[in-house]
Amino acid sequence: MKKVMLLVFAVVAMIGAVEAADLTLKWAFNTSAVFPGKSFGAGHQGPFTVWDIDGDGVNEIIWGTRRGDSKREWCIKADGKTLKWVYPPIASDPLPGDPIGQPSLVDVNNDGKYEVCFAGRTGSLYVIKGDGTALWTWANPVAGQTMLGAPQAYDVDGDGFVEFFMADNGGFVHRVDHTGKLVWTSFQTGKANEGHVTISDVDRDGEYEVTWASQDFNLYCISAATGAEKWRFNSGANMQTNANSVVDVNKDGEYEVLIWNDNGQVYAVSFFGTEVWRLDLPRPAFVRLRQPIGDVNGDGSYDMPIMSEDALYLYDIGGAAPVKKWEINLTKWSAEGKFGGAKAIASGWSAYHLIADINGDDKQEILWLAPFPIVTDANGNLLAYYYNPNVQDGARQENGAWWGDVDKDGKSEWIAELNGKSHPQTQVYCLTMGGKFPAKAWWTEYEHSAYPADYQNAQSWLLLKGGYSAADWFPMPEVLLPAIAAMLGVALLSRKK
């Protein structure tokens, strides 16, 4: 009898564990329900930034929308119910273009408060205060040019104030100071620069560089001080709206730049502009937007989960050459009924995936949007998904996502805006698997993490530290420590040349 009872308890415990592992809805926020007579659809590449932007002790959720009566930046409380502000205010005209790009958090005037910074198809860089009013706006001198991606800001000249670097579709890169004045404009590339730049000391010479992937096939590296070209690398194919990551991917003590292109190729490029290795996907389907990195399976080597136009992959990229770990055919999974009849698809325009421990099992999961939320484990097994009849399936995902503890209840949440089958059905969803927080994570947001650098450095659960808000530069410890010292007002620590 005792053995039977133990077996019953074990079965009940197993059932409870399965139920707890479901991806469940915590709340949903419908932008179209806020203002009578207005209809707001999804944003596009304008994912969420979460921060207590007004200093009231409660997080805010900030993101951009572009469909319907939109083209505005939204700010709501972490409860998913309370609207704080929209920019521009609803009584004013909307932005002149789509606010494409995750908002960055930047203390622009060194007053101890962070501003929200965004750009996009507006033709301008907007710096917004915590109450939703403008601090200043910089208009691109190249009229009508879009500036996609999260604004990149870092103090590259040591004057104690940040400088902004913005790439545009006219083929230029601009440096703007902390007051909104233009410092320099670079040479013009052959085609549009749709992906945002990365600011880093890529060659570790004590001066900063700016790198970006252009549609003219080239990865460019220029001086942050002057805008002069240092080198370029031809990837052989279009790089449209693609970011680039600066990281010591093979742990050799030097930085590599990671890029990907429309030929289904990923490159690691050396700090002086030569090929370190090239990854060729099994089929040349294009790879765009953002591909995260992190040690997914815990073997001590960096991995890259990739969403191409036709499949999901996991590659180990930390060795001398990339090694394929697995591949997922979402069309096949859909046909097999894994998603209850909903149609999941891989798309190069849906590369919004994250790497985090969402279910609290102390292992890393990959959080995909294809276009509805899908969770796989480190071995490529399906763990959970979320779908309802209002959500558009069988199409690309329109906007990126965020993972963390948004409401500070000790549980991790996944926030995603899911395109509806009509604009009024588009909503922001807060989903959970009941996992604890803090929990280890490598890549928590579309642009890795929009948290300020000093906050990132203090979080032991965040395994990959960015050099600034929404940064694609991941400093090595001996580079990171002087940056921390500078932010704390301590004399810079010298590093070995």
Side-chain angles (χ1 to χ4, degrees):
M1 183 66 179
K2 185 176 181 181
K3 289 183 178 179
V4 173
M5 290 301 295
L6 288 174
L7 179 61
V8 170
F9 290 144
V11 171
V12 170
M14 288 175 63
I15 293 173
V18 171
E19 290 177 347
D22 288 342
L23 192 56
T24 58
L25 179 65
K26 194 165 184 178
W27 52 255
F29 180 84
N30 189 328
T31 53
S32 295
V34 178
F35 299 105
K38 298 290 185 180
S39 177
F40 299 93
H44 182 57
Q45 300 174 43
F48 306 95
T49 290
V50 174
W51 189 252
D52 179 11
I53 195 66
D54 57 9
D56 66 351
V58 179
N59 282 333
E60 282 78 40
I61 306 167
I62 306 161
W63 80 102
T65 57
R66 68 162 180 163
R67 298 293 194 187
D69 300 310
S70 193
K71 295 182 175 60
R72 299 182 193 274
E73 205 74 13
W74 292 71
C75 178
I76 65 173
K77 300 298 287 185
D79 60 8
K81 300 176 183 178
T82 309
L83 175 69
K84 294 289 291 188
W85 48 260
V86 293
Y87 182 87
I90 200 67
S92 303
D93 289 337
L95 295 164
D98 303 335
I100 295 179
Q102 182 171 358
S104 299
L105 297 169
V106 183
D107 183 358
V108 175
N109 50 16
N110 284 359
D111 64 353
K113 299 177 182 179
Y114 287 96
E115 284 75 38
V116 177
C117 307
F118 69 93
R121 291 189 175 131
T122 64
S124 297
L125 167 64
Y126 297 86
V127 177
I128 308 300
K129 293 184 287 187
D131 61 1
T133 59
L135 180 63
W136 55 256
T137 300
W138 174 76
N140 190 328
V142 185
Q145 291 300 328
T146 67
M147 298 180 291
L148 306 183
Q152 302 294 295
Y154 195 69
D155 180 10
V156 300
D157 59 10
D159 68 350
F161 291 93
V162 297
E163 289 79 40
F164 288 89
F165 294 83
M166 306 294 298
D168 71 22
N169 275 20
F172 296 98
V173 172
H174 309 278
R175 174 175 163 176
V176 178
D177 74 10
H178 71 282
T179 68
K181 295 180 180 178
L182 179 66
V183 178
W184 53 249
T185 294
S186 74
F187 57 88
Q188 187 175 24
T189 60
K191 289 188 178 180
N193 303 327
E194 288 199 352
H196 69 240
V197 306
T198 296
I199 310 163
S200 71
D201 182 6
V202 67
D203 54 12
R204 306 181 68 214
D205 66 350
E207 298 181 356
Y208 292 96
E209 289 78 39
V210 176
T211 52
W212 74 94
S214 174
Q215 281 200 264
D216 70 1
F217 304 180
N218 287 303
L219 167 67
Y220 287 93
C221 178
I222 64 175
S223 165
T226 65
E229 182 175 341
K230 301 190 76 169
W231 52 260
R232 68 179 68 180
F233 174 85
N234 192 327
S235 78
N238 181 34
M239 295 184 287
Q240 184 172 346
T241 324
N242 294 4
N244 70 99
S245 293
V246 176
V247 61
D248 181 11
V249 68
N250 55 15
K251 301 180 182 178
D252 65 349
E254 300 293 350
Y255 286 119
E256 290 78 38
V257 187
L258 299 176
I259 54 172
W260 37 91
N261 65 22
D262 278 8
N263 277 349
Q265 298 168 318
V266 179
Y267 287 88
V269 181
S270 73
F271 65 87
F272 50 88
T274 61
E275 180 181 322
V276 177
W277 52 250
R278 186 181 80 192
L279 184 165
D280 290 278
L281 295 180
R283 296 166 299 282
F286 68 75
V287 183
R288 291 182 179 169
L289 303 186
R290 155 58 66 210
Q291 306 300 322
I293 58 173
D295 183 2
V296 174
N297 53 21
D299 65 356
S301 181
Y302 281 121
D303 303 300
M304 178 181 282
I306 298 171
M307 181 184 286
S308 78
E309 187 63 9
D310 73 341
L312 312 183
Y313 302 90
L314 183 69
Y315 277 83
D316 185 323
I317 61 170
V323 177
K324 180 181 171 183
K325 308 300 288 187
W326 46 258
E327 174 182 343
I328 295 172
N329 184 328
L330 286 177
T331 302
K332 181 179 178 182
W333 274 16
S334 297
E336 293 171 349
K338 288 184 180 289
F339 307 116
K343 296 179 181 178
I345 65 168
S347 169
W349 292 112
S350 296
Y352 296 113
H353 42 297
L354 313 177
I355 306 171
D357 176 14
I358 190 173
N359 60 4
D361 65 353
D362 296 319
K363 298 178 182 178
Q364 295 294 289
E365 288 81 43
I366 305 174
L367 285 56
W368 311 88
L369 294 174
F372 50 86
I374 297 169
V375 181
T376 60
D377 67 13
N379 297 312
N381 299 308
L382 177 64
L383 293 182
Y385 72 95
Y386 177 83
Y387 179 76
N388 71 56
N390 295 321
V391 174
Q392 179 66 58
D393 65 342
R396 76 183 191 186
Q397 166 66 4
E398 289 291 338
N399 214 347
W402 180 94
W403 173 91
D405 184 2
V406 66
D407 53 8
K408 303 178 184 178
D409 66 349
K411 303 291 184 182
S412 71
E413 291 95 21
W414 183 9
I415 299 178
E417 182 185 57
L418 303 181
N419 203 27
K421 292 177 179 176
S422 67
H423 287 334
Q425 292 173 302
T426 296
Q427 298 191 80
V428 176
Y429 294 83
C430 181
L431 305 167
T432 184
M433 293 183 73
K436 63 182 182 296
F437 189 90
K440 301 294 185 183
W442 287 92
W443 202 279
T444 64
E445 304 170 31
Y446 176 54
E447 297 297 352
H448 173 257
S449 175
Y451 290 133
D454 54 348
Y455 181 83
Q456 291 188 47
N457 296 333
Q459 306 310 305
S460 60
W461 57 266
L462 184 60
L463 302 174
L464 192 64
K465 316 289 188 181
Y468 39 93
S469 178
D472 297 303
W473 175 40
F474 306 105
M476 294 177 284
E478 63 269 32
V479 178
L480 187 62
L481 287 173
I484 297 172
M487 285 184 289
L488 294 175
V490 181
L492 284 172
L493 304 175
S494 61
R495 74 168 178 86
K496 297 179 179 179
K497 298 292 184 178

